[in-house]
Amino acid sequence: MTNEEMTIEDLKNKKIAYISLGCDKNRVDLEEMMHSIEDFGIQMANIEDTDIVLINTCAFILPARREAIDNIVEMVELKKRGKLEKVIVTGCLNQRYLEELKNYLPEVDAFIPIKENERIVEVIADTYNLEINNKKNQHKQKAMTPKHYAYLKISDGCNNGCSYCTIPRIRGRYRSVPFEDVIKRAKELVSDGAKELIIVAQDVTRYGIDLYKKYRLVELLKELSKIKNLKWIRLHYLYPELVTDELLEEINSNDKICKYLDIPLQHIDDSILKSMNRRAGESEVRELIQKIRTKYPNICIRSAFIIGYPHETRLKFNKLINFLKESKLEEVGFFPYSREEGTKAFYLKHQVPEFIKRKRVKKIEQVQSEIANEINKAQIGKIVEILVDEFDSENGYYVARTQKQSPNVDFNVIIDCNENLTIGEFYQVKILDFEGYSFIATTKLN
């Protein structure tokens, strides 16, 4: 059938598959688009059995861009071999390199800028020479996570202006989702089966300041906690200077909020933090961690650090290692500095060679691994509550998490398959051991 012969009903009989790249905030954008597509009538399928592929891209750093281009090229090849009809690209890569992509990859049927995501159905129709008006602006999402948890985005963009970051250029200035809309979306996700909501934004601590001229994260958490059948609320990501006593008290006292703070610190050396345009310096960071450790010892801390930022000498790198040994953060990610055009840091002198970055990342990961092993071995014998995420049929065990572990980024808990657990349910388990990246646990508490 040619495009000229297509009808709206023919379009509704098409199948679509997706490729999700990048962060959880980007995933929510994709989930909103997929809701619009399914609501129109196009059904989801696997790539092996589909007519259309939608690739939602990331452009944050060079490896992410390479991954996006590789996926696009792979799908274009399938199209050339007659395995696909349409390849459609969305996400941050388009926002940064739209004209270059159009010239470099003319085989792609449509590149959609982020601001036009809500037109996704119209764009798909246009690739088949069909004209429709399907812009409903519902802003609902079809969660593509396991049914029992979902990501809830409360803002887009960022005003922080970190010297190494491209997000403001891609996503624009910080824009909070209206309070009532967040609550409505949360209720819809819980109604669809989510027992855990993971609150995501480039900076959740600034929620509300643009719309209401005051920070409303604590107020939002209190309102979300009233939702029936919502068990866990998790926060990603908090900037250290806005982790207030009021917020810590709410997290500590509210049974529904996971005792888990994801605070990207990026470094500890003052000269590097200043160059990064980070507002919290070494003394503020150490004071915050000390406060959490003494007043709220049940709250665990996850963080991320950039390794090999310009002017990071061996002395400054060793200072970061010593900080990790002292602070004993429970979960940490390390990323080699990526020199991005259009950022202030791109023009800095004394760029660290790539081989030194790789060497330092390897060294600091080993240090943190030893720290984590010490922390996690101390959990042996404790009884904790877990949420079962999946059954690993290949290895024969259940994969679960405590409230101090976020999906796909942190350690997990594995439980023998003989225990007959239910995916998406909560259980009390006893920690038996810690091996590699996983706790070993049992439901037999005695």
Side-chain angles (χ1 to χ4, degrees), residues 152 154 179 182-183 186-187 197 199 207 214-228 230 232-235 244-258:
L152 177 65
I154 64 172
F179 194 94
V182 175
I183 300 303
K187 290 179 178 178
L197 291 180
I199 313 302
Y207 175 74
K214 63 178 181 178
Y215 302 112
R216 296 189 69 183
L217 178 60
V218 172
E219 185 181 349
L220 181 67
L221 293 174
K222 290 179 178 179
E223 195 64 27
L224 289 171
S225 299
K226 297 176 184 177
I227 300 175
K228 186 179 179 181
L230 175 58
W232 283 357
I233 301 169
R234 188 180 303 277
L235 295 172
T244 62
D245 290 343
E246 181 188 21
L247 177 58
L248 289 171
E249 287 289 348
E250 182 64 25
I251 293 171
N252 188 60
S253 62
N254 190 325
D255 290 339
K256 287 194 174 184
I257 302 178
C258 293

Side-chain angles (χ1 to χ4, degrees), residues 188-227:
E188 290 169 352
L189 292 169
V190 173
S191 178
D192 287 340
K195 299 174 182 178
E196 175 185 11
L197 291 180
I198 303 170
I199 313 302
V200 294
Q202 201 64 33
D203 179 1
V204 299
T205 43
R206 279 178 169 74
Y207 175 74
I209 191 65
D210 55 318
L211 291 180
Y212 309 108
K213 309 307 177 190
K214 63 178 181 178
Y215 302 112
R216 296 189 69 183
L217 178 60
V218 172
E219 185 181 349
L220 181 67
L221 293 174
K222 290 179 178 179
E223 195 64 27
L224 289 171
S225 299
K226 297 176 184 177
I227 300 175

Side-chain angles (χ1 to χ4, degrees), residues 38-136:
E38 268 209 342
D39 189 57
F40 173 74
I42 301 174
Q43 297 300 307
M44 285 199 292
N46 296 320
I47 288 177
E48 297 78 14
D49 183 35
T50 194
D51 306 300
I52 309 163
V53 167
L54 190 157
I55 308 168
N56 197 41
T57 61
C58 176
F60 184 52
I61 56 176
L62 181 59
R65 295 195 293 277
R66 286 175 174 164
E67 181 185 25
I69 293 296
D70 288 347
N71 275 274
I72 295 169
V73 170
E74 183 180 352
M75 293 303 106
V76 164
E77 288 301 314
L78 288 179
K79 178 185 172 184
K80 288 179 179 178
R81 301 206 312 263
K83 304 293 185 180
L84 295 173
E85 294 177 6
K86 305 293 180 183
V87 176
I88 297 172
V89 179
T90 61
C92 294
L93 193 68
N94 297 352
Q95 204 69 18
R96 258 187 109 173
Y97 303 105
L98 184 60
E99 294 307 316
E100 294 94 326
L101 290 167
K102 288 180 178 179
N103 292 329
Y104 178 65
L105 292 164
E107 304 90 346
V108 172
D109 296 277
F111 291 98
I112 306 177
I114 293 169
K115 62 183 179 181
E116 296 184 19
N117 281 353
E118 62 185 25
R119 294 187 60 250
I120 182 65
V121 175
E122 296 171 56
V123 173
I124 293 173
D126 185 62
T127 66
Y128 286 101
N129 295 328
L130 291 170
E131 186 175 340
I132 63 172
N133 183 7
N134 192 67
K135 186 177 174 182
K136 295 183 180 180

Side-chain angles (χ1 to χ4, degrees), residues 164-404:
Y164 50 82
C165 184
T166 58
I167 294 299
R169 292 174 63 89
I170 297 172
R171 292 280 180 171
R173 293 187 63 78
Y174 194 89
R175 304 179 306 283
S176 299
V177 178
F179 194 94
E180 295 75 13
D181 291 351
V182 175
I183 300 303
K184 180 182 178 183
R185 172 74 66 89
K187 290 179 178 178
E188 290 169 352
L189 292 169
V190 173
S191 178
D192 287 340
K195 299 174 182 178
E196 175 185 11
L197 291 180
I198 303 170
I199 313 302
V200 294
Q202 201 64 33
D203 179 1
V204 299
T205 43
R206 279 178 169 74
Y207 175 74
I209 191 65
D210 55 318
L211 291 180
Y212 309 108
K213 309 307 177 190
K214 63 178 181 178
Y215 302 112
R216 296 189 69 183
L217 178 60
V218 172
E219 185 181 349
L220 181 67
L221 293 174
K222 290 179 178 179
E223 195 64 27
L224 289 171
S225 299
K226 297 176 184 177
I227 300 175
K228 186 179 179 181
N229 297 326
L230 175 58
K231 175 88 171 179
W232 283 357
I233 301 169
R234 188 180 303 277
L235 295 172
H236 287 258
Y237 305 90
L238 304 98
Y239 275 61
E241 66 271 17
L242 287 178
V243 179
T244 62
D245 290 343
E246 181 188 21
L247 177 58
L248 289 171
E249 287 289 348
E250 182 64 25
I251 293 171
N252 188 60
S253 62
N254 190 325
D255 290 339
K256 287 194 174 184
I257 302 178
C258 293
K259 308 305 178 255
Y260 176 99
L261 289 175
D262 191 326
I263 313 175
L265 296 174
Q266 309 304 7
H267 215 279
I268 196 59
D269 180 79
D270 271 334
S271 64
I272 289 182
L273 290 170
K274 183 177 180 181
S275 177
M276 287 178 167
N277 199 32
R278 302 288 291 184
R279 292 174 177 83
E282 179 182 356
S283 61
E284 290 88 353
V285 169
R286 288 184 180 277
E287 182 180 340
L288 174 61
I289 292 176
Q290 180 64 21
K291 180 191 298 183
I292 294 169
R293 295 308 192 206
T294 54
K295 293 186 66 176
Y296 311 101
N298 195 39
I299 296 178
C300 81
I301 303 172
R302 173 178 176 79
S303 192
F305 295 90
I306 294 173
I307 307 302
Y309 183 85
H311 291 274
E312 185 192 66
T313 62
R314 184 185 303 171
L315 186 64
K316 293 174 183 179
F317 174 67
N318 287 334
K319 183 177 183 179
L320 178 56
I321 286 181
N322 290 332
F323 168 75
L324 291 173
K325 290 178 178 178
E326 295 163 12
S327 57
K328 297 187 184 300
L329 307 180
E330 286 84 353
E331 302 275 0
V332 184
F334 302 101
F335 304 91
Y337 166 71
S338 179
R339 190 181 185 189
E340 296 296 318
E341 290 188 62
T343 64
K344 291 182 180 179
F346 180 84
Y347 303 99
L348 292 176
K349 297 179 180 179
H350 303 288
Q351 298 281 335
V352 178
E354 291 298 322
F355 79 94
I356 292 180
K357 292 180 195 175
R358 292 193 295 270
K359 184 177 179 180
R360 288 180 180 174
V361 168
K362 185 176 181 180
K363 180 177 180 180
I364 203 165
E365 285 180 338
Q366 180 59 40
V367 169
Q368 179 58 31
S369 177
E370 293 170 2
I371 294 168
N373 192 61
E374 177 188 342
I375 293 171
N376 294 331
K377 287 288 187 181
Q379 303 304 306
I380 294 174
K382 292 187 177 181
I383 295 174
V384 296
E385 183 179 48
I386 53 95
L387 172 60
V388 181
D389 277 339
E390 62 177 309
F391 178 70
D392 186 330
S393 57
E394 182 177 344
N395 294 296
Y397 54 67
Y398 293 95
V399 180
R401 293 176 290 115
T402 72
Q403 64 171 265
K404 296 181 179 181

Side-chain angles (χ1 to χ4, degrees), residues 232 385-390 397-402 405 410-415 421 425 427 429 438-439 441:
W232 283 357
E385 183 179 48
I386 53 95
L387 172 60
V388 181
D389 277 339
E390 62 177 309
Y397 54 67
Y398 293 95
V399 180
R401 293 176 290 115
T402 72
Q405 296 160 338
D410 294 331
F411 300 116
N412 56 29
V413 180
I414 61 176
I415 305 161
L421 307 181
E425 291 297 329
Y427 296 89
V429 300
S438 300
F439 291 95

